[in-house]
Amino acid sequence: MSEDGSWRRVSREGRRFLRGRYRSLRRLALWSLLESAHTFLGGYAVARALDDGFLAGRTGTGLGWLAVAGAGALLGALALRGVFGGLADLVEPLRDGLVRRSVRQAIGRAVADPGRPGDAGAVSRLTQQTEMARDSFAGLVLVARSFVFTALGALLGLAALDPVLLVLVLPALLLGTAGFLATLRPMARVQRAALDADEALSGRAGELAAGLRDVVACGGGASAGAPVERLTAEQERLTGRLARWTALRTLALGVAGRLPVVALLAGTPWLLGRGVSAGAVAGALTYLVQSLLPALDALMTAVGAAGTRLLVVLDRFCTPQPSPPADSGPATTAPEAGAGPGGAVELRGVWFAYGPRAQPVIDGLDLTVGEGEHLAVVGPSGIGKSTLTALIAGLLPPGGGTVRVAGAPARRAPARRVPAQDVPGQDGTGRGGTGQDGDGPGGTGQGGDKPGGGPDLRRTLLPQQAYVFTGTVRENLTHLCPGPVSGAEVERATAALGSDGLVDRLGGLDGAVDPARLSPGERQHLALTAAYLSPAPLLLLDEATCHLDLRTEERAERALAARPGTLVVVAHRISSAARADRVLVLDGTRAVCGTHAELPARSPLYRDLVGLWNARG
């Protein structure tokens, strides 16, 4: 978006904000008029005290005029108190509105793209940027109002003393102001880029921190850290550019703030020769030093720093956000032809990118996973492994190509809407997998929809953060099953997964589960047992065993592979890939699929991963 477009957008929103706050603006203007009177009296009383009082030999008159100047100072203090009261009526509604808009934007992004990672920039907008906008707006209104009414009082005072004084003062003021205005647009451009870089660095650092285990396991420290280094270097470059423009702005401030005083002092003999009194010169100097130039300096500083920062931040809040897709929210679908039983997965020419201008995470992928096959997916952190499972689970729509599960599209188009409270799995009580203890995102769950609004029984997805809720052990193990499950079936599953010891420690199948008292590995062990009992013929494990030790992980994966159906595992250890029938290697430029034995000869990345794993024993 161009700067002109940004300015128009922010101006439109600003006018809309101010349009309903005329009362607050009138209150500010009335109090500020008192400040103009204070400014006018300050210089004019000094001039009269000299000309009509001290220089004329009338000390009482001079002291009287100085008393008038002191009364003007008290008047200015009273005005400032009223100004701050009116300022709060403008600033606080702005901040509240930005907070609401930030929340709406974050929710809109999440609904529009439910499979996308958390919006790290939303935290910055909700905390840092809203406070930045609040403080910048308050400072800008305060100094802009002060300058307008102070300049009004000072210029009227100069004209009242002698209009010729304006001839010396105004050219220097206008020259410095023009130089200052010339720096505003470039500084806004640099500050916008700096904010973009800051959000990008924050998001990338968060992703890297969340995937440190993958980075270490895959030996990808250098490649994973390279983007962070580039973003850090970009921030350093932008900081240098901002410093250079700040230096030019400081020069303009010097011209506008100091040159008028120099011009007045240098022109004093000429002024006295034209009949301007010494008191008038002293009054003009008072206007410049005590009122006009400090107000101008404060205005330029505020506009140059707070003003450009406010423009950039408000533009980020005013940028149109993606609308939620038509199929967001609970929906039901009609049966589709060819949707038979089984767990086969078929991807043809699939590509996906998180944004219209972003680089594809998956580009032109062709893949077929046969019924009953065990496939492992490996690759560096952030390469697209979780995106692939989200596409298969129907949580993300492909940007191109087709994704089919059991012969039907993985993501089905909605046919009709049903109320949220009528859809199983939406009440946060555990059915369908909504989050830890029913209050958070993610967890064990079945992706997609089926006719009638229930979960799609073609597949079950287990993410890294295992879903466990407050309830009995039996409820946690059977919540993915549409019907009742016998105790014997549950016991066979716990024995196969090796979770029977954990079940005994929790008090048996009727024991109570408190998610906060379970370790991440224990949560994963329960979630894996629940997936084993699930009737879904396709299981998707997205690093769902990362908190288990090697022996427990092997036992769980072998049991799930022996279970009827298809198993797709996003592996964080090469030992998981070695147990699979085939391995899909995602390396960012192409995908290679083959057996564990043949891939080292076909994929340099896989050969390096195997070598690093073997070197670690």
Side-chain angles (χ1 to χ4, degrees), residues 259-549:
L259 193 57
V261 176
V262 174
L264 180 63
L265 293 177
T268 297
W270 177 76
L271 291 172
L272 295 177
R274 290 182 57 87
V276 178
S277 67
V281 174
L285 189 62
T286 302
Y287 280 130
L288 290 177
V289 174
Q290 292 190 357
S291 300
L292 187 58
L293 297 185
L296 179 63
D297 184 76
L299 176 68
M300 288 186 172
T301 301
V303 173
T308 53
R309 186 167 60 240
L310 179 64
L311 174 63
V312 172
V313 172
L314 290 182
D315 180 49
R316 305 183 73 79
F317 283 97
C318 297
T319 301
Q321 300 302 310
S323 301
D327 61 342
S328 62
T332 61
T333 58
E336 300 183 37
V345 177
E346 184 179 9
L347 291 85
R348 290 290 175 262
V350 173
W351 72 271
F352 181 85
Y354 288 103
R357 298 182 181 178
Q359 290 294 323
V361 179
I362 294 175
D363 192 3
L365 177 62
D366 292 317
L367 175 68
T368 300
V369 184
E371 296 183 7
E373 187 177 8
H374 177 189
L375 176 74
V377 183
V378 301
S381 178
I383 206 68
K385 304 186 296 295
S386 295
T387 301
L388 176 62
T389 59
L391 288 166
I392 298 174
L395 300 178
L396 289 176
T402 59
V403 181
R404 302 182 72 82
V405 174
R411 184 179 175 93
R412 295 172 172 175
R416 65 178 180 86
R417 300 281 178 180
V418 295
Q421 61 268 25
D422 295 337
V423 183
Q426 299 296 324
D427 58 359
T429 59
R431 299 286 180 181
T434 57
Q436 293 291 347
D437 201 13
D439 62 359
T444 310
Q446 294 167 331
D449 300 310
K450 74 169 187 176
D456 189 337
L457 297 181
R458 293 178 296 167
R459 63 236 159 159
T460 291
L461 168 65
L462 271 71
Q464 179 179 346
Q465 301 299 326
Y467 172 61
V468 180
F469 56 92
T470 300
T472 66
V473 174
R474 186 191 306 273
E475 289 169 340
N476 273 276
L477 297 182
T478 61
H479 72 98
L480 294 177
C481 302
V485 182
S486 68
E489 289 180 86
V490 177
E491 290 175 359
R492 282 196 295 270
T494 57
L497 272 293
S499 56
D500 43 3
L502 173 60
V503 172
D504 291 339
R505 290 197 303 275
L506 294 175
L509 295 180
D510 294 322
V513 174
D514 181 0
R517 300 176 66 89
L518 297 179
S519 68
E522 289 172 332
R523 294 193 193 110
Q524 286 189 335
H525 217 167
L526 291 178
L528 290 166
T529 307
Y532 182 90
L533 287 167
S534 166
L538 171 62
L539 295 184
L540 302 167
L541 309 186
D542 186 3
E543 301 193 24
T545 61
C546 62
H547 296 298
L548 303 179
D549 59 78

Side-chain angles (χ1 to χ4, degrees), residues 51-103:
D51 289 339
D52 300 338
F54 301 119
L55 295 179
R58 294 191 289 271
T59 304
T61 302
L63 292 175
W65 277 110
L66 290 181
V68 171
L74 293 177
L75 194 65
L78 179 64
L80 194 60
R81 178 186 176 188
V83 163
F84 275 102
L87 187 65
D89 294 339
L90 287 178
V91 172
E92 296 308 324
L94 174 73
R95 179 190 177 278
D96 294 343
L98 292 180
V99 169
R100 287 192 295 269
R101 180 168 296 196
S102 176
V103 173

Side-chain angles (χ1 to χ4, degrees), residues 372-374 532 539 556-565 567 579 581:
E373 187 177 8
H374 177 189
Y532 182 90
L539 295 184
E557 286 185 355
R558 290 192 184 280
L560 292 172
R563 169 188 176 275
L567 178 64
R579 288 189 289 269
D581 299 325

Side-chain angles (χ1 to χ4, degrees), residues 217-252:
C218 299
S223 59
V228 176
E229 293 179 359
R230 287 196 297 269
L231 288 171
T232 304
E234 176 67 8
Q235 276 197 324
E236 182 180 1
R237 184 184 68 85
L238 291 172
T239 302
R241 288 183 57 191
L242 192 60
R244 289 191 292 273
W245 281 110
T246 302
L248 291 176
R249 190 191 68 192
T250 303
L251 178 62

Side-chain angles (χ1 to χ4, degrees), residues 2-21:
S2 67
E3 282 185 58
D4 291 338
S6 299
W7 173 251
R8 287 194 298 269
R9 186 166 55 244
V10 173
S11 298
R12 182 172 61 250
E13 294 286 342
R15 289 193 299 270
R16 184 181 305 168
F17 172 77
L18 295 175
R19 193 174 298 129
R21 291 168 176 82

